[in-house]
Amino acid sequence: MDIVENTEDICLFAMDETGIRLESKNHYSWSPKGKPTIIEQNGCKKGLNIIGATEISKDFSMFTKAYSSVNSITAQEIVYFLQGLIEAYPNKTLMVILDNARTHTAQIVQDFAALHEDKLHLIFQPPYSPQLNPQENIWKWFKDECAQSNTYKNEKELQRRTDEFFSHANSHPQEVKSHAWARSFYK
């Protein structure tokens, strides 16, 4: 961590995917005494699937890409995301921590990383260890703010709120740091 934090041309990212739906995930409610609690749900599966990476050692910036939840995120989208990350940080060497999801370990992703080995280094977590990925804390924060008690009319409204959240987060790096600082995860 000392080397990464004190080297300006290296960025350390935590990367992961999540999904958020139009319908809220509110599991808390109240009702008048003697009346049953009613939480309406329509079973709507529409929403967004999001790939995100957070710089966790210095500037605590976030880079995200959202897709309609109609389709799952594929290895090809992971490659497009990594390409966008490289383009967003052109003069940096990127170290990206990610889990062992099939989309991350797919041959197309491995080939892309090998082609860009001078700019991109993928660091895979041990299997079944989400607690080692700071991006999981970012997703919790995001869902607490955007999904816990909110329902959206359509994907456009959900995308607008998602964009607002990440715009706020990118303009408040200390808040991001409080959720995802690498020193809290790695010694």
Side-chain angles (χ1 to χ4, degrees), residues 104-133:
H104 299 167
T105 60
Q107 191 62 50
I108 188 172
V109 175
Q110 299 302 315
D111 293 344
F112 179 82
L115 190 62
H116 295 88
E117 67 184 351
D118 60 322
K119 307 271 308 153
L120 178 67
H121 302 280
L122 302 181
I123 303 167
F124 292 96
Q125 297 169 212
Y128 308 106
S129 56
Q131 74 280 5
L132 295 178
N133 191 338

Side-chain angles (χ1 to χ4, degrees), residues 25 55 65 93:
K25 292 290 185 188
E55 203 291 324
K65 175 73 174 145
T93 298

